[in-house]
Amino acid sequence: MLKFKLKESKIISNIVIHNYKIIRRMKKIIFLSILMTVLSIQLYAQRGRLIQRYLEKNLTNDALPDKGPVPDYNNLYFWAASPYKHNTTDSIPAFLKIERKDKKVDVFFIHPTSYLGITNETEIMEPNANRKELIEKLRTVSWNADLTDSAVNNRTDYRSILYQASVFNADCRIFAPRYRQANIKAFFVPGSSEAQKAFDLAYGDIKKSFEYYLKNENHGRPIIIASHSQGSLHALRLLQEYFDGKPLQQKLVCAYIVGYQIPMGTFHYLPVGNKPDAIGCFVGWRSYQKGEISRQVKKEDGNSVCVNPLTWTTSTQWAPELMNKGALYGFNQMIPHAVGAGIEANSKVLWVTLPDGAGDTLKKLKNLHVYDYNLFWVNIRENVKQRIDAYFMKYGN
């Protein structure tokens, strides 16, 4: 009986020792696995920092110095659009019938990047764009635009001012300053000191032009802030400084902050416009073909606000093509019921379905950034009227 107990005790002891060894081995494997994961993350982060430094060096060392005048907004030359000069925002698409004209509201429009240093915007948006070639093309380009550069000014006037700012011309006077915008390369290295300096210089011009407008043109009139892309980066800052919780917020009809991430919590008092006739609010969206979530958007981890320009709400319910009143295809051609759109629930970007008749150039673009206004042009135009009516209904004439 004693021998049996000793034998049983030895078996149990062996099992305990065996299990202890297994547990130690498992702990070691788990530890090594965690260590490898941590090291991989650190190496990946280090690799990212090295790439960032490499890009900064290549985009900075050979960059030409900035040149050109400091803008004087008392001079109409430094306005891409103003009610006191003929400009492309005066253009009315051929498909529009006679509209009501009652310009009691002003639009302060901040245009997107037109200082590209390369041939066209779609080259950057191409899903298979050769980044190395783009960097090489931008290596010697100065960080901020020269306001006497006619090529840059023409690109501004006949792209964003014509196709985007003109959407407001039925009911508003339009003021759009020229500013020493940051070159597109600043978005390749957004955390670098050179990029930040370029953005700060650009915003300094925007601020100066807005203060000129407030002092000389506003006279208590209601305001719409509108922008796209780089313009929206600056518009967010402008809204924080002059409107968010400030007396001027009461004069804000709406801010259309399009084509740029609007992080949640950007404003303390300025609400998102979650219905078509909301006022004193902001709206914004970024357009991608349905199914597309870019690498940059994934990094945001859903930290963004998006309003669907077909429903003018933050609802993720899909809005069908029938709700699209018309997309701008060329300035004088409108395509009704062109696209459906819905907010992707996790990333908060706007997914869009393109019509069968869309050209190959458009279809191969996954990022529809360049067309953020064009795709919803008629809906935006009608919504501007709706919000202005709501504003005057609340505050009177």
Side-chain angles (χ1 to χ4, degrees):
M1 186 72 173
L2 183 62
K3 284 184 180 180
F4 177 77
K5 284 188 176 181
L6 288 171
K7 188 175 181 181
E8 184 182 55
S9 177
K10 190 174 182 181
I11 291 170
I12 291 170
S13 178
N14 287 338
I15 290 171
V16 169
I17 291 168
H18 179 70
N19 286 344
Y20 175 72
K21 287 180 178 178
I22 290 173
I23 290 169
R24 284 193 63 187
R25 195 177 298 121
M26 287 179 68
K27 282 183 176 179
K28 188 175 182 180
I29 291 168
I30 291 169
F31 172 75
L32 288 172
S33 176
I34 292 171
L35 181 63
M36 289 300 291
T37 301
V38 171
L39 286 173
S40 295
I41 292 170
Q42 288 178 339
L43 286 170
Y44 183 79
Q46 180 66 18
R47 178 174 175 269
R49 286 192 291 270
L50 288 171
I51 292 172
Q52 184 80 353
R53 282 199 290 269
Y54 169 79
L55 286 176
E56 289 174 26
K57 182 178 177 181
N58 273 270
L59 292 172
T60 300
N61 287 359
D62 297 320
L64 293 171
D66 291 342
K67 61 179 183 177
V70 175
D72 171 10
Y73 292 107
N74 191 49
N75 184 342
L76 283 175
Y77 174 83
F78 294 104
W79 293 92
S82 165
Y84 305 113
K85 65 185 283 189
H86 181 70
N87 63 87
T88 51
T89 61
D90 297 326
S91 306
I92 305 289
F95 59 81
L96 285 179
K97 297 178 179 178
I98 296 173
E99 297 178 293
R100 178 193 80 192
K101 297 285 185 182
D102 187 10
K103 300 193 176 188
K104 295 179 181 177
V105 174
D106 291 340
V107 170
F108 188 82
F109 181 83
I110 311 174
H111 70 73
T113 308
S114 51
Y115 178 38
L116 302 176
I118 53 178
T119 53
N120 58 69
E121 301 94 327
T122 54
E123 184 176 358
I124 300 166
M125 300 302 164
E126 287 279 359
N128 300 316
N130 188 323
R131 294 290 169 184
K132 189 174 181 180
E133 286 184 8
L134 290 176
I135 297 299
E136 184 60 29
K137 285 183 178 183
L138 297 171
R139 189 170 53 83
T140 61
V141 172
S142 58
W143 283 95
N144 290 85
D146 175 357
L147 294 180
T148 63
D149 187 328
S150 59
V152 171
N153 291 342
N154 285 338
R155 185 185 289 271
T156 300
D157 297 347
Y158 292 96
R159 303 273 181 115
S160 58
I161 300 299
L162 176 63
Y163 283 89
Q164 297 176 348
S166 66
V167 78
F168 301 98
N169 68 15
D171 296 274
C172 309
R173 299 192 307 171
I174 301 170
F175 294 85
R178 298 198 191 283
Y179 64 100
R180 290 171 291 177
Q181 58 185 284
N183 181 260
I184 193 70
K185 70 181 181 180
F187 290 96
F188 292 1
V189 284
S192 71
S193 59
E194 287 298 325
Q196 191 56 53
K197 279 164 55 180
F199 289 136
D200 286 345
L201 180 67
Y203 178 71
D205 287 352
I206 295 297
K207 179 176 178 177
K208 183 179 176 182
S209 65
F210 187 66
E211 288 184 344
Y212 176 89
Y213 159 77
L214 285 179
K215 182 179 178 181
N216 297 281
E217 298 294 343
N218 178 256
H219 305 305
R221 291 163 61 91
I223 308 171
I224 290 172
I225 301 294
S227 57
H228 187 244
S229 196
Q230 178 176 166
S232 290
L233 167 65
H234 302 310
L236 291 173
R237 195 168 169 182
L238 191 78
L239 287 163
Q240 288 171 330
E241 188 168 353
Y242 288 92
F243 291 86
D244 189 25
K246 312 287 172 48
L248 206 53
Q249 183 173 335
Q250 189 171 324
K251 291 295 180 181
L252 183 68
V253 176
C254 183
Y256 293 82
I257 311 303
V258 183
Y260 200 81
Q261 179 194 9
I262 307 173
M264 292 182 285
T266 294
F267 305 112
H268 296 295
Y269 303 99
L270 203 61
V272 61
N274 204 22
K275 58 179 184 175
D277 60 352
I279 57 173
C281 60
F282 71 93
V283 298
W285 60 91
R286 292 175 290 169
S287 310
Y288 290 82
Q289 280 208 55
K290 190 175 183 179
E292 173 68 11
I293 301 177
S294 71
R295 188 185 311 167
Q296 184 58 44
V297 167
K298 287 178 183 176
K299 289 180 183 178
E300 297 168 4
D301 199 25
N303 181 24
S304 189
V305 178
C306 182
V307 171
N308 188 330
L310 296 184
T311 63
W312 300 106
T313 72
T314 56
S315 168
T316 56
Q317 185 174 353
W318 186 261
E321 290 85 346
L322 284 174
M323 294 185 71
N324 187 299
K325 302 289 184 68
L328 211 57
Y329 184 77
F331 187 71
N332 288 308
Q333 184 179 353
M334 184 266 287
I335 304 175
H337 315 312
V339 302
I343 299 170
E344 200 282 312
N346 296 316
S347 65
K348 303 299 189 297
V349 296
L350 188 71
W351 273 356
V352 174
T353 52
L354 294 176
D356 293 335
D360 292 338
T361 302
L362 184 58
K363 279 189 171 181
K364 72 179 180 180
L365 284 178
K366 300 297 182 182
N367 184 348
L368 299 171
H369 176 76
V370 178
Y371 305 100
D372 281 322
Y373 273 83
N374 295 50
L375 292 171
F376 311 100
W377 201 88
V378 176
N379 289 73
I380 298 169
R381 195 171 181 86
E382 292 188 359
N383 183 250
V384 171
K385 292 177 183 289
Q386 191 172 5
R387 292 187 197 273
I388 289 173
D389 287 343
Y391 182 90
F392 285 115
M393 186 171 291
K394 179 175 181 179
Y395 293 110
N397 293 324

PDB file of all heavy atoms in Angstrom, residues 376-397:
ATOM      1  N   PHE A 376     -22.166  67.009 -56.511  1.00  0.00           N
ATOM      2  CA  PHE A 376     -23.394  67.381 -55.787  1.00  0.00           C
ATOM      3  C   PHE A 376     -23.753  68.849 -56.022  1.00  0.00           C
ATOM      4  O   PHE A 376     -24.414  69.473 -55.195  1.00  0.00           O
ATOM      5  CB  PHE A 376     -23.194  67.117 -54.281  1.00  0.00           C
ATOM      6  CG  PHE A 376     -22.648  65.749 -53.989  1.00  0.00           C
ATOM      7  CD1 PHE A 376     -21.293  65.580 -53.716  1.00  0.00           C
ATOM      8  CD2 PHE A 376     -23.466  64.635 -54.025  1.00  0.00           C
ATOM      9  CE1 PHE A 376     -20.769  64.325 -53.472  1.00  0.00           C
ATOM     10  CE2 PHE A 376     -22.954  63.372 -53.777  1.00  0.00           C
ATOM     11  CZ  PHE A 376     -21.597  63.213 -53.505  1.00  0.00           C
ATOM     12  N   TRP A 377     -23.358  69.382 -57.158  1.00  0.00           N
ATOM     13  CA  TRP A 377     -23.403  70.816 -57.405  1.00  0.00           C
ATOM     14  C   TRP A 377     -24.804  71.392 -57.244  1.00  0.00           C
ATOM     15  O   TRP A 377     -25.001  72.395 -56.555  1.00  0.00           O
ATOM     16  CB  TRP A 377     -22.862  71.104 -58.802  1.00  0.00           C
ATOM     17  CG  TRP A 377     -22.392  72.502 -59.020  1.00  0.00           C
ATOM     18  CD1 TRP A 377     -21.139  73.004 -58.780  1.00  0.00           C
ATOM     19  CD2 TRP A 377     -23.144  73.609 -59.549  1.00  0.00           C
ATOM     20  NE1 TRP A 377     -21.062  74.342 -59.117  1.00  0.00           N
ATOM     21  CE2 TRP A 377     -22.291  74.736 -59.592  1.00  0.00           C
ATOM     22  CE3 TRP A 377     -24.451  73.749 -59.988  1.00  0.00           C
ATOM     23  CZ2 TRP A 377     -22.698  75.983 -60.056  1.00  0.00           C
ATOM     24  CZ3 TRP A 377     -24.874  74.996 -60.445  1.00  0.00           C
ATOM     25  CH2 TRP A 377     -24.001  76.097 -60.477  1.00  0.00           C
ATOM     26  N   VAL A 378     -25.800  70.802 -57.857  1.00  0.00           N
ATOM     27  CA  VAL A 378     -27.168  71.345 -57.787  1.00  0.00           C
ATOM     28  C   VAL A 378     -27.723  71.211 -56.373  1.00  0.00           C
ATOM     29  O   VAL A 378     -28.402  72.118 -55.866  1.00  0.00           O
ATOM     30  CB  VAL A 378     -28.084  70.668 -58.825  1.00  0.00           C
ATOM     31  CG1 VAL A 378     -29.516  71.175 -58.685  1.00  0.00           C
ATOM     32  CG2 VAL A 378     -27.572  70.930 -60.244  1.00  0.00           C
ATOM     33  N   ASN A 379     -27.445  70.090 -55.712  1.00  0.00           N
ATOM     34  CA  ASN A 379     -27.899  69.916 -54.326  1.00  0.00           C
ATOM     35  C   ASN A 379     -27.303  70.981 -53.412  1.00  0.00           C
ATOM     36  O   ASN A 379     -27.994  71.526 -52.541  1.00  0.00           O
ATOM     37  CB  ASN A 379     -27.514  68.530 -53.806  1.00  0.00           C
ATOM     38  CG  ASN A 379     -28.321  67.426 -54.453  1.00  0.00           C
ATOM     39  OD1 ASN A 379     -28.096  67.108 -55.617  1.00  0.00           O
ATOM     40  ND2 ASN A 379     -29.256  66.843 -53.720  1.00  0.00           N
ATOM     41  N   ILE A 380     -26.040  71.304 -53.609  1.00  0.00           N
ATOM     42  CA  ILE A 380     -25.400  72.343 -52.793  1.00  0.00           C
ATOM     43  C   ILE A 380     -26.060  73.687 -53.058  1.00  0.00           C
ATOM     44  O   ILE A 380     -26.388  74.436 -52.125  1.00  0.00           O
ATOM     45  CB  ILE A 380     -23.888  72.422 -53.087  1.00  0.00           C
ATOM     46  CG1 ILE A 380     -23.191  71.101 -52.732  1.00  0.00           C
ATOM     47  CG2 ILE A 380     -23.248  73.576 -52.302  1.00  0.00           C
ATOM     48  CD1 ILE A 380     -21.759  70.993 -53.240  1.00  0.00           C
ATOM     49  N   ARG A 381     -26.275  73.991 -54.330  1.00  0.00           N
ATOM     50  CA  ARG A 381     -26.866  75.278 -54.707  1.00  0.00           C
ATOM     51  C   ARG A 381     -28.246  75.456 -54.074  1.00  0.00           C
ATOM     52  O   ARG A 381     -28.575  76.534 -53.555  1.00  0.00           O
ATOM     53  CB  ARG A 381     -26.952  75.373 -56.231  1.00  0.00           C
ATOM     54  CG  ARG A 381     -27.212  76.793 -56.772  1.00  0.00           C
ATOM     55  CD  ARG A 381     -27.065  76.788 -58.276  1.00  0.00           C
ATOM     56  NE  ARG A 381     -27.273  78.092 -58.895  1.00  0.00           N
ATOM     57  CZ  ARG A 381     -26.325  79.020 -59.049  1.00  0.00           C
ATOM     58  NH1 ARG A 381     -25.102  78.797 -58.595  1.00  0.00           N
ATOM     59  NH2 ARG A 381     -26.602  80.171 -59.638  1.00  0.00           N
ATOM     60  N   GLU A 382     -29.049  74.420 -54.108  1.00  0.00           N
ATOM     61  CA  GLU A 382     -30.380  74.495 -53.516  1.00  0.00           C
ATOM     62  C   GLU A 382     -30.317  74.569 -51.996  1.00  0.00           C
ATOM     63  O   GLU A 382     -31.125  75.248 -51.356  1.00  0.00           O
ATOM     64  CB  GLU A 382     -31.221  73.297 -53.966  1.00  0.00           C
ATOM     65  CG  GLU A 382     -31.571  73.337 -55.447  1.00  0.00           C
ATOM     66  CD  GLU A 382     -32.557  72.258 -55.858  1.00  0.00           C
ATOM     67  OE1 GLU A 382     -32.961  71.458 -54.976  1.00  0.00           O
ATOM     68  OE2 GLU A 382     -32.934  72.225 -57.051  1.00  0.00           O
ATOM     69  N   ASN A 383     -29.343  73.866 -51.414  1.00  0.00           N
ATOM     70  CA  ASN A 383     -29.217  73.884 -49.963  1.00  0.00           C
ATOM     71  C   ASN A 383     -28.803  75.258 -49.451  1.00  0.00           C
ATOM     72  O   ASN A 383     -29.249  75.686 -48.375  1.00  0.00           O
ATOM     73  CB  ASN A 383     -28.207  72.831 -49.504  1.00  0.00           C
ATOM     74  CG  ASN A 383     -28.095  72.764 -47.997  1.00  0.00           C
ATOM     75  OD1 ASN A 383     -27.089  73.148 -47.421  1.00  0.00           O
ATOM     76  ND2 ASN A 383     -29.146  72.298 -47.340  1.00  0.00           N
ATOM     77  N   VAL A 384     -27.970  75.950 -50.206  1.00  0.00           N
ATOM     78  CA  VAL A 384     -27.576  77.308 -49.826  1.00  0.00           C
ATOM     79  C   VAL A 384     -28.818  78.191 -49.703  1.00  0.00           C
ATOM     80  O   VAL A 384     -28.993  78.929 -48.722  1.00  0.00           O
ATOM     81  CB  VAL A 384     -26.578  77.900 -50.850  1.00  0.00           C
ATOM     82  CG1 VAL A 384     -26.340  79.384 -50.592  1.00  0.00           C
ATOM     83  CG2 VAL A 384     -25.255  77.141 -50.808  1.00  0.00           C
ATOM     84  N   LYS A 385     -29.710  78.117 -50.679  1.00  0.00           N
ATOM     85  CA  LYS A 385     -30.967  78.890 -50.629  1.00  0.00           C
ATOM     86  C   LYS A 385     -31.782  78.513 -49.392  1.00  0.00           C
ATOM     87  O   LYS A 385     -32.332  79.373 -48.699  1.00  0.00           O
ATOM     88  CB  LYS A 385     -31.804  78.615 -51.881  1.00  0.00           C
ATOM     89  CG  LYS A 385     -31.228  79.133 -53.184  1.00  0.00           C
ATOM     90  CD  LYS A 385     -32.140  78.703 -54.349  1.00  0.00           C
ATOM     91  CE  LYS A 385     -31.583  79.129 -55.699  1.00  0.00           C
ATOM     92  NZ  LYS A 385     -31.676  80.584 -55.890  1.00  0.00           N
ATOM     93  N   GLN A 386     -31.853  77.200 -49.140  1.00  0.00           N
ATOM     94  CA  GLN A 386     -32.656  76.703 -48.021  1.00  0.00           C
ATOM     95  C   GLN A 386     -32.136  77.236 -46.684  1.00  0.00           C
ATOM     96  O   GLN A 386     -32.917  77.675 -45.825  1.00  0.00           O
ATOM     97  CB  GLN A 386     -32.635  75.167 -48.021  1.00  0.00           C
ATOM     98  CG  GLN A 386     -33.635  74.517 -47.089  1.00  0.00           C
ATOM     99  CD  GLN A 386     -33.692  73.008 -47.279  1.00  0.00           C
ATOM    100  OE1 GLN A 386     -32.923  72.425 -48.052  1.00  0.00           O
ATOM    101  NE2 GLN A 386     -34.591  72.351 -46.573  1.00  0.00           N
ATOM    102  N   ARG A 387     -30.840  77.221 -46.503  1.00  0.00           N
ATOM    103  CA  ARG A 387     -30.269  77.692 -45.233  1.00  0.00           C
ATOM    104  C   ARG A 387     -30.393  79.212 -45.094  1.00  0.00           C
ATOM    105  O   ARG A 387     -30.633  79.721 -43.987  1.00  0.00           O
ATOM    106  CB  ARG A 387     -28.808  77.255 -45.126  1.00  0.00           C
ATOM    107  CG  ARG A 387     -28.634  75.748 -44.982  1.00  0.00           C
ATOM    108  CD  ARG A 387     -27.192  75.375 -44.715  1.00  0.00           C
ATOM    109  NE  ARG A 387     -26.949  73.964 -44.965  1.00  0.00           N
ATOM    110  CZ  ARG A 387     -27.114  72.978 -44.083  1.00  0.00           C
ATOM    111  NH1 ARG A 387     -27.546  73.269 -42.861  1.00  0.00           N
ATOM    112  NH2 ARG A 387     -26.856  71.725 -44.412  1.00  0.00           N
ATOM    113  N   ILE A 388     -30.238  79.932 -46.204  1.00  0.00           N
ATOM    114  CA  ILE A 388     -30.397  81.388 -46.154  1.00  0.00           C
ATOM    115  C   ILE A 388     -31.826  81.756 -45.771  1.00  0.00           C
ATOM    116  O   ILE A 388     -32.055  82.642 -44.941  1.00  0.00           O
ATOM    117  CB  ILE A 388     -29.999  82.021 -47.501  1.00  0.00           C
ATOM    118  CG1 ILE A 388     -28.471  81.939 -47.683  1.00  0.00           C
ATOM    119  CG2 ILE A 388     -30.463  83.469 -47.586  1.00  0.00           C
ATOM    120  CD1 ILE A 388     -27.988  82.388 -49.047  1.00  0.00           C
ATOM    121  N   ASP A 389     -32.799  81.062 -46.363  1.00  0.00           N
ATOM    122  CA  ASP A 389     -34.202  81.307 -46.009  1.00  0.00           C
ATOM    123  C   ASP A 389     -34.436  81.037 -44.522  1.00  0.00           C
ATOM    124  O   ASP A 389     -35.138  81.801 -43.846  1.00  0.00           O
ATOM    125  CB  ASP A 389     -35.127  80.422 -46.846  1.00  0.00           C
ATOM    126  CG  ASP A 389     -35.221  80.884 -48.292  1.00  0.00           C
ATOM    127  OD1 ASP A 389     -34.841  82.043 -48.566  1.00  0.00           O
ATOM    128  OD2 ASP A 389     -35.662  80.090 -49.153  1.00  0.00           O
ATOM    129  N   ALA A 390     -33.843  79.937 -44.028  1.00  0.00           N
ATOM    130  CA  ALA A 390     -34.009  79.592 -42.612  1.00  0.00           C
ATOM    131  C   ALA A 390     -33.367  80.649 -41.717  1.00  0.00           C
ATOM    132  O   ALA A 390     -33.902  80.988 -40.651  1.00  0.00           O
ATOM    133  CB  ALA A 390     -33.386  78.223 -42.338  1.00  0.00           C
ATOM    134  N   TYR A 391     -32.234  81.190 -42.174  1.00  0.00           N
ATOM    135  CA  TYR A 391     -31.546  82.219 -41.392  1.00  0.00           C
ATOM    136  C   TYR A 391     -32.411  83.469 -41.259  1.00  0.00           C
ATOM    137  O   TYR A 391     -32.608  83.994 -40.151  1.00  0.00           O
ATOM    138  CB  TYR A 391     -30.208  82.578 -42.051  1.00  0.00           C
ATOM    139  CG  TYR A 391     -29.417  83.611 -41.266  1.00  0.00           C
ATOM    140  CD1 TYR A 391     -28.505  83.225 -40.294  1.00  0.00           C
ATOM    141  CD2 TYR A 391     -29.629  84.985 -41.494  1.00  0.00           C
ATOM    142  CE1 TYR A 391     -27.807  84.174 -39.560  1.00  0.00           C
ATOM    143  CE2 TYR A 391     -28.936  85.931 -40.742  1.00  0.00           C
ATOM    144  CZ  TYR A 391     -28.029  85.527 -39.787  1.00  0.00           C
ATOM    145  OH  TYR A 391     -27.349  86.461 -39.057  1.00  0.00           O
ATOM    146  N   PHE A 392     -32.967  83.945 -42.366  1.00  0.00           N
ATOM    147  CA  PHE A 392     -33.774  85.163 -42.326  1.00  0.00           C
ATOM    148  C   PHE A 392     -35.124  84.925 -41.655  1.00  0.00           C
ATOM    149  O   PHE A 392     -35.723  85.858 -41.093  1.00  0.00           O
ATOM    150  CB  PHE A 392     -33.940  85.746 -43.717  1.00  0.00           C
ATOM    151  CG  PHE A 392     -32.695  86.442 -44.216  1.00  0.00           C
ATOM    152  CD1 PHE A 392     -31.999  85.975 -45.305  1.00  0.00           C
ATOM    153  CD2 PHE A 392     -32.206  87.567 -43.555  1.00  0.00           C
ATOM    154  CE1 PHE A 392     -30.849  86.609 -45.757  1.00  0.00           C
ATOM    155  CE2 PHE A 392     -31.055  88.221 -43.977  1.00  0.00           C
ATOM    156  CZ  PHE A 392     -30.372  87.732 -45.089  1.00  0.00           C
ATOM    157  N   MET A 393     -35.595  83.688 -41.688  1.00  0.00           N
ATOM    158  CA  MET A 393     -36.827  83.377 -40.979  1.00  0.00           C
ATOM    159  C   MET A 393     -36.600  83.503 -39.471  1.00  0.00           C
ATOM    160  O   MET A 393     -37.483  83.955 -38.714  1.00  0.00           O
ATOM    161  CB  MET A 393     -37.303  81.966 -41.322  1.00  0.00           C
ATOM    162  CG  MET A 393     -38.658  81.618 -40.739  1.00  0.00           C
ATOM    163  SD  MET A 393     -39.293  80.040 -41.377  1.00  0.00           S
ATOM    164  CE  MET A 393     -39.612  80.494 -43.068  1.00  0.00           C
ATOM    165  N   LYS A 394     -35.393  83.143 -39.030  1.00  0.00           N
ATOM    166  CA  LYS A 394     -35.088  83.228 -37.599  1.00  0.00           C
ATOM    167  C   LYS A 394     -34.729  84.636 -37.176  1.00  0.00           C
ATOM    168  O   LYS A 394     -35.209  85.119 -36.143  1.00  0.00           O
ATOM    169  CB  LYS A 394     -33.929  82.272 -37.267  1.00  0.00           C
ATOM    170  CG  LYS A 394     -33.535  82.315 -35.800  1.00  0.00           C
ATOM    171  CD  LYS A 394     -32.470  81.286 -35.455  1.00  0.00           C
ATOM    172  CE  LYS A 394     -32.129  81.345 -33.969  1.00  0.00           C
ATOM    173  NZ  LYS A 394     -31.109  80.317 -33.607  1.00  0.00           N
ATOM    174  N   TYR A 395     -33.896  85.308 -37.962  1.00  0.00           N
ATOM    175  CA  TYR A 395     -33.365  86.593 -37.531  1.00  0.00           C
ATOM    176  C   TYR A 395     -34.015  87.791 -38.231  1.00  0.00           C
ATOM    177  O   TYR A 395     -33.770  88.935 -37.851  1.00  0.00           O
ATOM    178  CB  TYR A 395     -31.853  86.652 -37.786  1.00  0.00           C
ATOM    179  CG  TYR A 395     -31.072  85.693 -36.914  1.00  0.00           C
ATOM    180  CD1 TYR A 395     -30.466  84.567 -37.461  1.00  0.00           C
ATOM    181  CD2 TYR A 395     -30.972  85.913 -35.553  1.00  0.00           C
ATOM    182  CE1 TYR A 395     -29.732  83.689 -36.660  1.00  0.00           C
ATOM    183  CE2 TYR A 395     -30.258  85.044 -34.748  1.00  0.00           C
ATOM    184  CZ  TYR A 395     -29.648  83.925 -35.304  1.00  0.00           C
ATOM    185  OH  TYR A 395     -28.944  83.062 -34.510  1.00  0.00           O
ATOM    186  N   GLY A 396     -34.848  87.541 -39.238  1.00  0.00           N
ATOM    187  CA  GLY A 396     -35.475  88.635 -39.980  1.00  0.00           C
ATOM    188  C   GLY A 396     -34.497  89.317 -40.910  1.00  0.00           C
ATOM    189  O   GLY A 396     -33.312  88.980 -40.976  1.00  0.00           O
ATOM    190  N   ASN A 397     -35.004  90.254 -41.680  1.00  0.00           N
ATOM    191  CA  ASN A 397     -34.181  90.950 -42.672  1.00  0.00           C
ATOM    192  C   ASN A 397     -33.446  92.141 -42.055  1.00  0.00           C
ATOM    193  O   ASN A 397     -32.730  92.823 -42.703  1.00  0.00           O
ATOM    194  CB  ASN A 397     -35.041  91.410 -43.849  1.00  0.00           C
ATOM    195  CG  ASN A 397     -35.567  90.223 -44.648  1.00  0.00           C
ATOM    196  OD1 ASN A 397     -34.868  89.224 -44.791  1.00  0.00           O
ATOM    197  ND2 ASN A 397     -36.780  90.330 -45.143  1.00  0.00           N
TER     198      ASN A 397
END
